Amino acid sequence: MTPERAGSSWKERRESMGRTLEQVSAELRIGPRYLAGIEEGTFGGFPERVFTTGFIRTYAKYLSQDPGPVLAEYERSIGIRDDSEMAAQLRFGWVERERERGSRRATYTVAAGAVLLVGVILAWVTLRTETRPLPSAPPAAVAIPPPPVVDNAARTVDNAAAAAPSRADNMAATAPLPPQAAPTPAEPSSSVAAVGAAGPLVGPFQLFLEASEQAWVMYSFDDGDPIDVTLYAGDKISIHATTRIALKLGNAGGVAGTLNGRRLPPFGERGQVRKITFGQ
């Protein structure tokens, strides 16, 4: 008698929700054959371990199920650890992850309150500064007595000599200045294109990705079919290819990359969707 698979209850849950495998696959971006394998407990032909565990966790969250039993069944199928020990550790990790997410939400709430308080204090200080009385006017200038009267002939010579440099200064002051050329704006640079600045990249390739926060990743190498997976903070994957790697990131700022031992520039901003291709 064949023992009941842990994912059979997940299939019943999905059917009670009125969802087909194709509908769930479109929503989670996980291939329908992988979802069927999770429900049936057949993990042959699945991708690397980090991708498969990501599939199971994502599907469990969608169905509001504990991923521990199915993860333990998968680990047992690839011969890693004892069933009971692995199930307990995976269940503990799942609970800790949910607790950590709740702690992050509380931290964000406290930070938002602190920013609001600082804004109120700055507004109060600005208002007090604007309502302060203006400083008193400076004292009136003291009148300077006129110069002594001199001879008319001497005053005429002195005035003519003084007027000459004054006119020259005025002409120099009013002369138009030559127009200056407007600065040329800097040309924006491409962070990913800088990797192949010396010419097109040529394989073989070894691409190493590390997630700093949750991100969706789809990739294909050479002429293979695309593989998609959800990465969590701390997950790492390695992709090997002979001629070409096509990469699509759902959260470009949450993934860092190293190509053939060389650190890549940032793929993009947080939450940005980017497509990157290495090779021909």
Side-chain angles (χ1 to χ4, degrees):
M1 180 177 180
T2 303
E4 183 179 359
R5 297 293 186 179
S8 60
S9 60
W10 293 19
K11 180 178 180 181
E12 296 174 0
R13 169 65 175 165
R14 172 181 57 79
E15 292 175 347
S16 67
M17 295 169 62
R19 312 296 290 175
T20 64
L21 285 175
E22 288 72 18
Q23 291 172 332
V24 178
S25 174
E27 294 181 32
L28 300 183
R29 299 180 180 273
I30 299 176
R33 71 185 186 92
Y34 297 137
L35 297 177
I38 292 173
E39 293 180 351
E40 298 170 1
T42 56
F43 301 100
F46 271 54
E48 295 181 21
R49 180 172 177 267
V50 64
F51 291 110
T52 301
T53 55
F55 292 164
I56 295 173
R57 290 193 185 101
T58 302
Y59 195 18
K61 184 176 181 180
Y62 179 83
L63 299 175
S64 299
Q65 299 290 315
D66 180 8
V70 176
L71 285 170
E73 186 175 66
Y74 165 69
E75 299 287 357
R76 186 174 62 254
S77 70
I78 60 177
I80 289 192
R81 292 187 186 175
D82 179 72
D83 182 18
S84 59
E85 178 186 356
M86 180 58 62
Q89 292 186 7
L90 292 172
R91 186 178 298 107
F92 175 76
W94 176 68
V95 171
E96 288 298 322
R97 189 183 298 275
E98 293 299 323
R99 185 178 301 167
E100 180 182 353
R101 290 175 180 172
S103 177
R104 288 179 181 175
R105 286 192 291 269
T107 302
Y108 295 154
T109 303
V110 173
V115 171
L116 179 61
L117 179 60
V118 172
V120 172
I121 295 175
L122 290 177
W124 178 76
V125 172
T126 303
L127 182 61
R128 283 183 58 87
T129 303
E130 291 178 351
T131 55
R132 288 179 180 176
L134 296 176
S136 58
V142 179
I144 302 175
V149 178
V150 297
D151 183 69
N152 290 337
R155 186 167 61 249
T156 302
V157 174
D158 293 341
N159 290 341
S166 299
R167 285 194 297 269
D169 293 342
N170 291 337
M171 292 178 60
T174 57
L177 297 177
Q180 296 182 355
T184 304
E187 185 176 351
S189 61
S190 173
S191 60
V192 178
V195 177
L201 296 176
V202 179
F205 301 110
Q206 181 177 7
L207 179 62
F208 181 77
L209 301 178
E210 181 176 1
S212 58
E213 57 185 50
Q214 184 174 355
W216 171 76
V217 180
M218 174 182 287
Y219 75 90
S220 63
F221 54 92
D222 297 336
D223 297 327
D225 295 332
I227 299 175
D228 54 346
V229 66
T230 300
L231 297 182
Y232 295 88
D235 286 345
K236 303 175 183 179
I237 60 173
S238 179
I239 305 171
H240 302 265
T242 304
T243 58
R244 182 176 182 270
I245 295 177
L247 188 66
K248 183 176 181 181
L249 304 174
N251 179 11
V255 181
T258 301
L259 182 65
N260 294 343
R262 181 180 179 183
R263 189 73 171 183
L264 297 175
F267 290 122
E269 300 294 335
R270 184 179 184 184
Q272 185 181 19
V273 177
R274 291 295 308 276
K275 293 182 179 180
I276 304 99
T277 302
F278 303 99
Q280 303 298 326

